[in-house]
Amino acid sequence: MKASVRWISNFLTSLLPTDQIIETLTRIGHEVDEAITVGEIPDSVVVGLVLEVSKHPDADRLRVCKVDVGEGPDNASQIICGAPNVAVGQFVAVAVPGTTLPLLDKNGNPLTIVKAKIRGIESNGMICAEDELGLGEDHSGIMVLNDKASIEQIGQPLCSVLSLQADTILDIGLTPNRPDAASHSGLARDLSAATGILFKSPFSSDLSSEYFTNTDGTVDSNHLTTNFDGINIPQVDIRAKQACPRYAGVVVCGVNVSESPDWLRTRLESLGLRSVNNVVDITNEVLHEIGQPLHAFDLDTFTSDRVTIQSFDKPISFTTLDHVKREYPAGSLFICDGDTPVALAGIMGGESSEVSNKTTSIFLESAYFEPSGIRKTAKAAGLQTDASYRYERGIDPNMALNAAIYAAKKITEVAGGQIHFRIQDIQTEFIPAKKTLTFRPERAELILGTQLDSQFIRDLFLRLDIRIVHEKDSQWECEIPTFRPDITREVDLIEEVGRLIDYNMLPVPAVQRAFVPAPIPKWEE
């Protein structure tokens, strides 16, 4: 899993050095396999304006360009460029001679731009593509900055014009039992527990408490719009209650679907994700921020008055968003427009309800699906997505409504529109209940082989959202948060204490004990 150090730091009240974040994450069980610095562009990469483009006399694919890099048109730099999209009038990113780029030359050394002759013609710099600056993976052509730069910014450093900030992207080998850490806020929570720095929740409050929940599973509020009388709000109908214990749906009306703002596109692309549009990108951002998969449907494509969550007793052929038609085995869970599948539940949406530039109203899904069912379908289909990766490990069932409202508000910020007053949150009796476990501090000391401060453990549990609800006879009754499905026994709580105080700091016992199993009696052989 990829994660951004800057993004993680947004959820901590104090900044930690990158090296300390990497060391701490690895120490507490989230091993960092690789760390790559991105967005660290030298000031010698500047905004230039292409004044002339002519064909290279000795190379069909090369162009001789005159580029103003801040010295004025009369002192324009001559630069040889091989990009097919270079043209007069473009604002471009230019690495002037002496610039060292985040690229490696043929000898494996950092690439430094120098004055050179290319097929006999002098070149004084390099017009850059996105990937050559570490700003993305696009190498189809040079970066064109016409919608981002102006005449007044010619010669200014690109990083200041685009408000670029350096970041470090971590590649983390996440263990399958820690779905809560499959998000930036989840990693920050663990860092908080290990370092004592306060954790800032992505939710300023319980968003669902801002609304009034009706007995039919809908939510009404005077804060939301009521002036979209022509919008069809489909009723959520969960038919496969064990497979889908909870389903929240929010309608956002009057959206303007378009390209994402630079900050959002850059944030996703730094994680290796492709920007789609502002609505879809917000659902992906929220997934990586808080760990809740979401899906936005084009509500205008719906033909019925029901969103049905159901499985079928026969194989189903279905075309997903990747435009591939596959056959899914009987029992696979689908989200349906009436009885017509529009999404493969928990894995990928369908082609027919895809959000596009023509979309004006969306139905936003935030659900909890039973993990083993998603795992089985994803394996049968040979299809793993960011959503299925989290669902099949077990996300927090109590996050669905808050996440839906949180994402809907973000969508209105980047795409306009208003949240419809009718929000649905359907819950069934199969939602995993909160667990309460007995924890004995003396038992923890015996297993970890060291004395533990009682108040330290209390503070540690508090930072992990583990509540001590009752104490009696040196036993603590601890309520486990639903985002930690991996904590099921007392020894799991003891393991939390051990990993967060650092196993390396535990004393080596003076006497080594060997546990030899008792011989099997003959009557048991």
Side-chain angles (χ1 to χ4, degrees), residues 406-422:
Y406 182 66
K409 286 183 173 182
K410 284 196 161 208
I411 286 172
T412 62
E413 291 170 3
V414 300
Q418 292 176 292
I419 303 172
H420 198 280
F421 73 95
R422 187 162 183 256

Side-chain angles (χ1 to χ4, degrees), residues 28-47:
I28 62 179
H30 312 305
E31 185 174 359
V32 177
D33 297 324
E34 186 178 21
I36 299 175
T37 300
V38 298
E40 195 172 47
I41 300 175
D43 288 345
S44 52
V45 177
V46 300
V47 172

Side-chain angles (χ1 to χ4, degrees), residues 489-502:
R489 303 169 297 167
E490 181 187 25
V491 71
D492 295 328
L493 286 172
I494 296 172
E495 181 183 16
E496 289 298 290
V497 175
R499 76 180 181 92
L500 292 172
I501 65 174
D502 188 355

Side-chain angles (χ1 to χ4, degrees), residues 53 85 260 274 323 354 367 521 523:
V53 177
N85 64 326
S260 290
R274 180 178 62 89
H323 310 298
E354 180 179 5
W523 60 271

Side-chain angles (χ1 to χ4, degrees), residues 237-256:
D237 178 14
I238 303 179
R239 295 180 181 173
K241 295 184 178 181
Q242 282 187 282
C244 178
R246 185 173 189 178
Y247 192 97
V250 179
V251 170
V252 184
C253 312
V255 296
N256 178 24

